[in-house]
Amino acid sequence: MSKKDIDWANLGFGYIPTDYRFVANYKNGSWDEGAIVTDPMITMSECAGVLQYAQTCFEGLKAYTTQDGRVVMFRPDLNAERMVTSCERLEMPVFEKQKFVDAVEATVKANIDYVPPFGSGATLYVRPYMFGISPVIGVKPAEEYQFRVFVTPVGPYFKGGVRPLTIRVSDFDRAAPHGTGHVKAGLNYAMSLHAIVDAHKQGFDENMYLDPGTRTKVEETGGANFLFVTKDNKVVTPKSSSILPSITRRSLMVVAKEYLGLEVEEREIAFEEIKDFAECGLCGTAAVISPVGKIVDHGNEIAFPSGMENMGPVTQKLYDTLTGIQMGRIEAPEGWLVEIK
Ligand code: PLP
Ligand code: COI
């Protein structure tokens, strides 16, 4: 075993194929055992459910090398649970939770030489996903499915690493009321592509989506939840039935309360309130915590007091504590780290 020769410190958030991936097939009403394979290519019918009606969902988590040289995954049980919710909403067969965790673990283990070293700033991104593979032409669920896991070493999600972002309020919606915003359906991301390409063209890093029903409340971005810090250091995060229940956000609320002794609140947040917050950040597996310096609403700029140079002090503490837990520098709550042995 020897680490791959990769320039870990300069990785962006991109796809680098590794040596192994996991594949399981669902046929005649049940999943096969699944196996680790080497072939990264997939052959399927031109009429596969995923190609015609976007029947697919996915997950994202990371594996890290800790300070003392272990390789750990962060809360994979919660990804397994969320994938069950996604599958149920999309009429896909559930992949049992323990089997999900085992498959993820086996894939990381097979690719252990791609897990970036401690201190390199990179991590191993793990992408479990499922899709309808049998032919479907009338609008209905597929009969056969494939569940796969691949891994890829990644650096920061936003170009330029950790720096305050500029976000615009989107005129496009990401999720409908009572739609699929709360699950990790591929279609939610297809919906967001035009909005993100346009945002980048206009010089913004990301879109802030408002609630599609009333357009008065803060929802999330295309790939992360929001966290705000009030002027008296309370950590506040939007509550909505159409945002993805971020595992990072749920973990940060525990970190804020239990490790930093801060008051936390999950509640509806009116867009009107934003100007009164002291700090803002995006949180997610890929985003970790990315500070937001400015939100632009059709030319009207809301600049946070934390500015465009540094993370706000509370955001910084949350970032240091969460990454400290993930990298084994700070003791993790029971069950948060799963070691790959
Ligand atoms: N919101 C959206 C739309 C996402 O795609 C993600 C990424 O998974 C998140 C939030 C953050 O979720 P998590 O912290 O579980 O990665
Ligand atoms: C993740 O953070 O894992 C995601 O799935 C977000 C995606 C936009 C990369």
Side-chain angles (χ1 to χ4, degrees):
M1 164 181 140
S2 63
K3 286 279 168 221
K4 297 286 173 180
D5 185 18
I6 291 173
D7 183 8
W8 309 106
N10 291 308
L11 285 175
F13 196 89
Y15 170 65
I16 299 173
T18 67
D19 297 339
Y20 301 100
R21 58 275 303 137
F22 178 88
V23 186
N25 286 291
Y26 182 89
K27 243 184 197 170
N28 301 322
S30 63
W31 286 104
D32 67 14
E33 273 304 293
I36 294 285
V37 302
T38 54
D39 189 357
M41 305 307 280
I42 303 171
T43 302
M44 68 177 87
S45 163
E46 62 189 355
C47 199
V50 60
L51 299 180
Q52 301 309 322
Y53 302 124
Q55 198 185 15
T56 179
C57 62
F58 69 99
E59 273 303 323
L61 66 158
K62 282 176 173 171
Y64 310 85
T65 307
T66 60
Q67 195 164 19
D68 60 358
R70 291 172 298 143
V71 173
V72 298
M73 299 183 297
F74 186 69
R75 310 191 78 179
D77 52 319
L78 297 189
N79 295 94
E81 243 165 53
R82 194 168 60 190
M83 190 147 192
V84 170
T85 317
S86 299
C87 289
E88 287 172 349
R89 179 63 177 79
L90 298 170
E91 288 296 333
M92 301 170 80
V94 161
F95 199 75
E96 204 250 310
K97 279 191 255 173
Q98 189 56 49
K99 285 195 174 159
F100 175 105
V101 174
D102 292 346
V104 162
E105 195 168 337
T107 317
V108 174
K109 194 168 175 174
N111 292 289
I112 204 84
D113 296 341
Y114 287 94
V115 183
F118 175 78
S120 64
T123 52
L124 190 73
Y125 186 70
V126 183
R127 173 55 62 89
Y129 59 115
M130 191 193 293
F131 50 93
I133 198 165
S134 58
V136 173
I137 193 71
V139 178
K140 64 179 181 199
E143 287 182 354
E144 296 174 6
Y145 294 82
Q146 199 162 89
F147 170 80
R148 299 178 75 101
V149 184
F150 69 77
V151 297
T152 189
V154 295
Y157 187 65
F158 291 102
K159 259 197 213 129
V162 182
R163 57 170 173 94
L165 305 171
T166 302
I167 299 215
R168 72 156 183 199
V169 176
S170 174
D171 284 331
F172 303 100
D173 293 326
R174 167 184 175 275
H178 313 292
T180 54
H182 62 299
V183 298
K184 219 161 160 54
L187 63 94
N188 294 341
Y189 299 81
M191 294 272 288
S192 74
L193 295 177
H194 177 62
I196 193 66
V197 169
D198 188 60
H200 287 163
K201 258 190 221 158
Q202 315 283 335
F204 300 104
D205 295 299
E206 250 292 4
N207 288 291
M208 168 184 270
Y209 293 102
L210 300 179
D211 74 294
T214 69
R215 297 190 143 259
T216 58
K217 288 170 274 186
V218 178
E219 293 249 300
E220 61 175 330
T221 67
N225 282 181
F226 277 105
L227 277 184
F228 298 96
V229 180
T230 63
K231 288 185 176 137
D232 57 355
N233 287 351
K234 193 189 287 176
V235 180
V236 188
T237 186
K239 188 183 175 104
S240 159
S241 56
S242 49
I243 65 177
L244 193 77
S246 159
I247 294 161
T248 314
R249 185 251 300 162
R250 286 181 271 161
S251 304
L252 282 167
M253 297 307 263
V254 175
V255 164
K257 201 164 161 218
E258 309 292 334
Y259 285 67
L260 303 175
L262 299 171
E263 228 181 294
V264 300
E265 212 168 62
E266 185 185 353
R267 62 166 169 85
E268 289 191 343
I269 298 179
F271 181 71
E272 276 304 304
E273 280 182 70
I274 287 184
K275 59 181 186 327
D276 302 323
F277 290 126
E279 300 175 36
C280 173
L282 303 184
C283 61
T285 298
V288 192
I289 308 179
S290 304
V292 175
K294 214 192 284 177
I295 293 174
V296 182
D297 176 22
H298 302 90
N300 178 29
E301 288 198 359
I302 301 164
F304 294 100
S306 49
M308 292 305 291
E309 293 300 318
N310 298 304
M311 272 198 202
V314 174
T315 308
Q316 185 75 56
K317 272 192 215 156
L318 286 168
Y319 179 90
D320 291 344
T321 314
L322 180 72
T323 54
I325 289 171
Q326 290 167 334
M327 305 284 177
R329 274 185 278 111
I330 297 173
E331 191 169 344
E334 177 82 33
W336 279 24
L337 299 185
V338 174
E339 188 174 347
I340 310 282
K341 289 193 175 138

